[in-house]
Amino acid sequence: MPVKKHSLALSLLCVACNMTVTDANESASSRQPDGQAERQSAQPAADPHAFVIVPEPAGTPARVESVLQAQVALDRAGFSPGVLDGREGMSFATALTGFQKAKGLPATGHYDEATAKALLGDRPQPATWLVRIPEGFVKGPFFAVPKDLNEQAKLPALGYRNLLEKLAERFHTTPEALMALNRPDTKVGAGAAIRVPAIANQPVARIEGDERGWGETLASLGVAKDQPQADHIVVDKSDGVLRAYDAQNRLIAQFPATMGSQHDPLPIGTWEIKGLSRNPDFHYNPDLFWDAASTDQKAVLKPGPNGPVGVVWIDLSKPHYGIHGTPEPQTIGRTESHGCIRLTNWDAARLAQMVQSGVKAVFQL
């Protein structure tokens, strides 16, 4: 029996109502004739994160997506605009400003000709491409993730809610943006072709002592293991970004961030990274949250991209404060936090490959 394919509209409905996608959890061997699974088990497993680019259908008109093309190029260069959605806005302008500063261009935040040339080069890559979804990628398990943290603690993992959400994170966007890129009758499932932002494949990294599958996580987010190394980072409240600098004080990366609130303001000062926890458990202590319910209890939540801190926790010398991912990437820079610095999961994963214990972290207004 072939794996079922769902329309994008149905999959987005699953996001809204937290329905669990169950048919994508079926193993390939359970659907194969007798003996076929055994014969295939002797062959190397296909990379579940290797999306094959599908040629554009004949006669397809050229797509004009200049803003999305710039967003994708900024993302590749390490100057993240956050969610790749093809929209101009504050995050896009701030990313352009960071890139312009790094390249010695006038820091206007406008996408002018000089910036486009420096960003795209002589052979611009496309904004989007059609890819075929690997069979291994559609496998779950997927979860209906409740909002209540004590209820989340009952789950075996805090994974994606459904395939569309998993696809969106892999290509640094949102389910809604994927819907906008595709026809309403587009199917999602093993072997289906879908249009996505042009974020390249990354192989599963081999990392010594990787007991929590961090190499798999990087590949699932389209993040390369090898990144430039940061000497120090600066979290700037004034424009809502985290900047990474090398030992020569050159700006090498920039990420939009959510930082602090009226109840839990950003702790201004100079701190130090004390350690990193990749694919971490989350130890929930309601005594540390001003908005916790009186009935909440201490609990340990299992790892996953939909956990309260996403895929990584970067611990700081300021007790109970850190830099981490988020289950809701579309809210970065648009909501408040409990004092910590929150990035999209893909940006947090990239930063985690750029820093180590002892790196200075300056928090400023």
Side-chain angles (χ1 to χ4, degrees):
M1 181 179 69
V3 176
K4 297 177 184 177
K5 298 178 181 178
H6 301 274
S7 71
L8 284 175
L10 178 58
S11 295
L12 186 59
L13 179 61
C14 291
V15 174
C17 66
N18 284 335
M19 291 177 60
T20 302
V21 180
T22 55
D23 55 278
N25 299 341
E26 298 178 35
S27 66
S29 59
S30 69
R31 304 190 305 275
Q32 293 172 344
D34 292 343
Q36 186 172 342
E38 288 77 3
R39 290 193 300 273
Q40 288 191 355
S41 65
Q43 302 175 1
D47 184 349
H49 310 291
F51 286 76
V52 176
I53 298 176
V54 179
E56 296 283 353
T60 301
R63 301 174 66 92
V64 179
E65 299 165 323
S66 60
V67 172
L68 183 55
Q69 183 184 45
Q71 287 181 332
V72 170
L74 285 165
D75 183 290
R76 290 196 193 105
F79 292 83
S80 172
V83 168
L84 306 180
D85 57 7
R87 298 177 181 176
E88 295 187 69
M90 181 179 62
S91 294
F92 179 52
T94 304
L96 284 173
T97 300
F99 178 80
Q100 290 164 339
K101 288 180 179 178
K103 296 298 180 180
L105 298 170
T108 64
H110 298 301
Y111 190 40
D112 52 36
E113 185 176 347
T115 303
K117 184 175 181 179
L119 184 59
L120 304 178
D122 296 328
R123 300 182 63 181
Q125 294 196 34
T128 65
W129 47 38
L130 285 172
V131 296
R132 198 167 301 284
I133 303 172
E135 181 169 342
F137 191 85
V138 308
K139 297 177 181 178
F142 299 101
F143 300 93
V145 181
K147 291 184 177 180
D148 182 83
L149 295 186
N150 283 139
E151 290 299 313
Q152 289 183 15
K154 299 176 183 179
L155 295 176
L158 290 169
Y160 293 111
R161 299 177 181 93
N162 53 54
L163 177 56
L164 190 61
E165 184 183 52
K166 185 177 181 181
L167 281 166
E169 289 244 319
R170 164 61 185 82
F171 293 100
H172 303 183
T173 188
T174 63
E176 293 81 0
L178 282 183
M179 284 189 65
L181 287 175
N182 289 272
R183 293 166 53 93
D185 59 350
T186 299
K187 308 296 182 181
V188 290
I194 183 173
R195 185 170 297 282
V196 295
I199 299 299
N201 292 325
Q202 296 296 335
V204 176
R206 295 183 178 181
I207 302 172
E208 185 177 355
D210 184 14
E211 298 177 351
R212 294 210 161 206
W214 183 245
E216 286 274 352
T217 298
L218 290 174
S220 73
L221 292 169
V223 174
K225 171 190 173 185
D226 296 328
Q227 299 288 341
Q229 294 303 291
D231 174 78
H232 58 283
I233 62 174
V234 175
V235 175
D236 198 323
K237 181 73 172 178
S238 66
D239 51 8
V241 297
L242 183 154
R243 296 184 174 94
Y245 296 85
D246 66 12
Q248 287 72 47
N249 203 36
R250 292 176 300 203
L251 179 61
I252 57 174
Q254 178 179 291
F255 308 107
T258 292
M259 52 189 77
S261 66
Q262 181 179 354
H263 290 276
D264 300 290
L266 181 72
I268 303 303
T270 299
W271 312 101
E272 184 179 294
I273 292 176
K274 303 299 290 184
L276 292 88
S277 181
R278 297 169 171 90
N279 290 328
D281 293 332
F282 179 71
H283 294 260
Y284 176 50
N285 182 354
D287 294 339
L288 300 177
F289 293 82
W290 63 269
D291 54 351
S294 60
T295 55
D296 281 3
Q297 299 178 349
K298 291 183 179 180
V300 178
L301 282 64
K302 297 299 183 183
N306 268 320
V309 296
V311 299
V312 68
W313 171 267
I314 301 174
D315 197 34
L316 297 169
S317 54
K318 174 72 172 176
H320 309 303
Y321 282 80
I323 303 167
H324 60 82
T326 179
E328 303 295 343
Q330 71 279 4
T331 66
I332 294 300
R334 294 171 171 81
T335 58
E336 297 182 330
S337 75
H338 287 92
C340 291
I341 295 83
R342 194 164 63 218
L343 312 175
T344 67
N345 276 332
W346 55 88
D347 288 341
R350 188 168 190 169
L351 179 65
Q353 296 305 105
M354 302 177 71
V355 299
Q356 57 186 329
S357 297
V359 167
K360 184 172 68 173
V362 178
F363 294 179
Q364 62 189 31
L365 294 175

